[in-house]
Amino acid sequence: MNGAGAGESGGSTVGWCAPEVSETFPELRIVTCEVRLERALSLTGSSPPALKERLRELSNRWAGAQAIMLRSQPVPAAYRVFFRHIGLDPDVQRTPLEEAVMRRLIDGGFLPRGLLEDVLLAALVDTGVAVWALDAGTLDGPLGLRLSSAGERLGRDDAKAPELQAGQLVVADASRALALLFAAPARRHCPRADSRRLALFSLQVPGVSTLHVEEALWSCRTTLQSLAQGL
Amino acid sequence: MVGTEQLSSDLRIGSDRKTGEDAARASLRAQVAHLERQLSQIVVAGYPYIHIHADAQPLDATVAGGPRLLTLGELERQRDALVERVRRLRRQSAIRAERERHARALLDEMRLEPGRYRFTRLPVADLGEGGCGVWEVRPRLGLIGMLAGWWQLTLSSGCPLPRARAAARA
C-alpha cells in the first residue's frame, strides 16, 4: 500500500476518496499508517500488565455523568454530527467512543479483550478518535473511501460474504470493500494473532483536527512497536 | 446552431439545478448539525432527568440503510424528525423545570411553617439535586413533639447503604 513507507518512517498518509464522496464531504479523510512489528506478538492474546493498568487508569476517568457530558465535547460532538450526516442515528447506533464508554459503565471498567483491541481502545479513549486495524498482507493497494456498488460483497467475492446495498459508504482498497464506515472490518481482513504487518486507519470528519487523528494513530503505532520490541 | 445553443442551455440549467441541490443539501446538513448540538445541550443540561433513550426511535432516514450519502428528501426528513425530537425534549425539560420550581416553593413553605406540612416528604431528586435524600417534616422528640406541636424539617442521611440493599434483595 502507498502508506507503507510512510508508516515505516513514523508518519501517516491520507488515503484516497472517491469524487462523489469528497464533493459532499470535502473535509472527510481516511488517514492510514502501516505498522511493521519486529517480532510476532500474539495480537489476540492477553495484554501485558502495563497495558491492563493503563485501561484501569482510563476506567477511573469515566462515570455516568461524564458519559453524558461527552456529547458536548468538540471531538465526540463532531462524530455525532457526522453520524447524522451519513444517515446514522448516534442515539441508536453509538459513535465508537460513546459505545466504548457505555460498555465501560456496564462492565464496570474497560475490560481487557486482547492485545490489539486493548491498544485501539486505549487510543480511542485517550483521543476520542477511533482507530481500526487491518492485516496489511491481505490488502490490495492503499485504503480509501467510496460508495459501494450494487451486488458488491464485504471483504471477499464469495456468496457467504455479506452483501452491501448500493451507495453505502465503505472503506476499500483497490479491489474490494473492507468495512462499512464506523463498523468493524470484514473478518478476512482483520489482523490474525501472528500478523506482522498491520494497516491502521482512522476517519477524520469535519470538526476533528488532524492532530487528534494523528495522535490516535501515533499512540497505537508506538504502543504496538514498543511491545514488539519488548520494551 | 440552434441545436448547439439548446444543448448548452440545457447543460447550464442542469448544472444550475445540481449547484442548487448541492447548496440545499449543505444547508440541510448545517441545520442538522445545529439541531444535534441543541439536542446534546438539552440532554447535558437535563442530566440525569432528561434522557434521549426514553425517546430513542430511529429517525426516519437512519440506521436501516447504513452509512451513505443522504438525498435531499432524506435530509429533509431527518431535519424534521430532529426538530420534533428537540421540541419533545424541550417540553420534557420545561415540565421538569416547572416541577422543580413547585418542589422548591413547597420546601420553602415546609421550612417556614412545618406544622402545616406534618410528615410531608420531599425527595431531593424532585428539587433537581442528585442523591437519595428526602426532606421530611417530623416531630421534634418523637411523641412529645407530636403532642406539643413541635415540628421540624429534617433531611435524611442519603442513599441506603449497599449492605441494606443486599439484605432487601435477599
Side-chain angles (χ1 to χ4, degrees):
Chain A
M1 64 184 276
N2 275 1
E8 282 174 276
S9 66
S12 50
T13 316
V14 176
W16 52 269
C17 196
E20 62 271 26
V21 178
S22 58
E23 268 171 29
T24 308
F25 298 114
E27 292 174 67
L28 173 65
R29 286 186 182 88
I30 178 168
V31 186
T32 68
C33 76
E34 187 172 302
V35 181
R36 283 173 193 268
L37 303 174
E38 282 183 15
R39 64 180 176 89
L41 292 166
S42 177
L43 293 172
T44 52
S46 179
S47 296
L51 187 52
K52 287 182 181 169
E53 181 55 33
R54 192 170 163 210
L55 289 181
R56 261 196 300 277
E57 280 170 18
L58 290 171
S59 299
N60 294 336
R61 290 192 205 164
W62 297 94
Q66 282 84 19
I68 296 294
M69 303 299 164
L70 193 63
R71 65 184 66 209
S72 60
Q73 293 170 12
V75 173
Y79 280 105
R80 282 183 69 87
V81 167
F82 187 72
F83 260 50
R84 297 230 183 260
H85 285 168
I86 58 172
L88 302 175
D89 185 343
D91 293 315
V92 177
Q93 181 181 334
R94 294 190 189 97
T95 61
L97 180 59
E98 287 185 28
E99 180 61 35
V101 170
M102 194 53 72
R103 215 166 58 192
R104 176 256 171 268
L105 295 181
I106 292 166
D107 295 343
F110 293 118
L111 303 182
R113 291 169 195 274
L115 192 144
L116 182 59
E117 264 197 76
D118 294 349
V119 169
L120 301 181
L121 176 62
L124 169 65
V125 176
D126 260 343
T127 63
V129 176
V131 178
W132 291 268
L134 297 164
D135 185 340
T138 66
L139 302 181
D140 176 16
L143 296 178
L145 300 171
R146 65 169 169 83
L147 299 178
S148 59
S149 48
E152 187 175 6
R153 291 183 180 274
L154 190 67
R156 55 187 183 184
D157 298 329
D158 67 67
K160 285 183 185 167
E163 191 172 332
L164 296 165
Q165 293 172 28
Q168 289 186 306
L169 280 160
V170 293
V171 174
D173 62 10
S175 39
R176 58 182 64 84
L178 306 166
L180 280 169
L181 233 59
F182 296 104
R187 187 170 293 180
R188 183 172 176 267
H189 298 279
C190 287
R192 296 183 312 275
D194 59 348
S195 294
R196 297 276 295 272
R197 231 159 44 89
L198 306 179
L200 304 180
F201 72 89
S202 190
L203 297 167
Q204 183 179 6
V205 304
V208 174
S209 71
T210 305
L211 191 68
H212 278 91
V213 178
E214 294 278 353
E215 193 191 344
L217 288 167
W218 175 85
S219 165
C220 295
R221 189 174 57 230
T222 50
T223 308
L224 285 167
Q225 284 175 338
S226 60
L227 287 172
Q229 287 164 5
L231 297 176
Chain B
M1 194 65 181
V2 173
T4 314
E5 277 172 13
Q6 181 65 41
L7 183 65
S8 78
S9 164
D10 285 353
L11 284 174
R12 206 167 40 247
I13 290 168
S15 160
D16 287 351
R17 190 176 296 148
K18 188 177 181 310
T19 312
E21 196 177 309
D22 286 349
R25 291 202 307 168
S27 163
L28 281 166
R29 279 198 297 273
Q31 290 175 43
V32 165
H34 180 65
L35 287 163
E36 164 56 36
R37 279 192 288 274
Q38 283 188 344
L39 204 61
S40 292
Q41 277 169 9
I42 297 170
V43 172
V44 168
Y47 177 81
Y49 303 108
I50 304 290
H51 31 98
I52 219 149
H53 299 293
D55 177 59
Q57 296 292 321
L59 296 179
D60 180 72
T62 60
V63 180
R68 64 200 187 284
L69 303 181
L70 300 184
T71 63
L72 197 60
E74 286 173 329
L75 276 167
E76 273 175 351
R77 282 196 294 278
Q78 191 187 50
R79 189 263 324 264
D80 294 346
L82 268 176
V83 166
E84 182 52 35
R85 191 178 275 189
V86 167
R87 191 178 298 143
R88 211 175 315 150
L89 284 183
R90 278 216 177 111
R91 202 163 45 233
Q92 273 183 39
S93 188
I95 291 169
R96 175 78 211 171
E98 184 60 18
R99 217 161 76 193
E100 286 175 14
R101 202 179 61 74
H102 275 298
R104 259 181 247 116
L106 176 62
L107 182 65
D108 286 344
E109 286 171 19
M110 284 160 70
R111 195 171 278 138
L112 288 171
E113 293 182 87
R116 275 186 61 200
Y117 296 93
R118 297 171 188 185
F119 298 110
T120 300
R121 289 166 61 85
L122 182 64
V124 293
D126 287 1
L127 300 161
E129 296 167 13
C132 319
V134 177
W135 290 98
E136 186 178 9
V137 176
R138 298 179 59 81
R140 195 181 293 254
L141 301 174
L143 195 60
I144 299 171
M146 211 147 77
L147 294 171
W150 298 337
W151 295 91
Q152 63 179 351
L153 184 64
T154 62
L155 176 63
S156 74
S157 54
C159 297
L161 295 171
R163 64 169 180 274
R165 278 208 296 269
R169 272 202 301 274

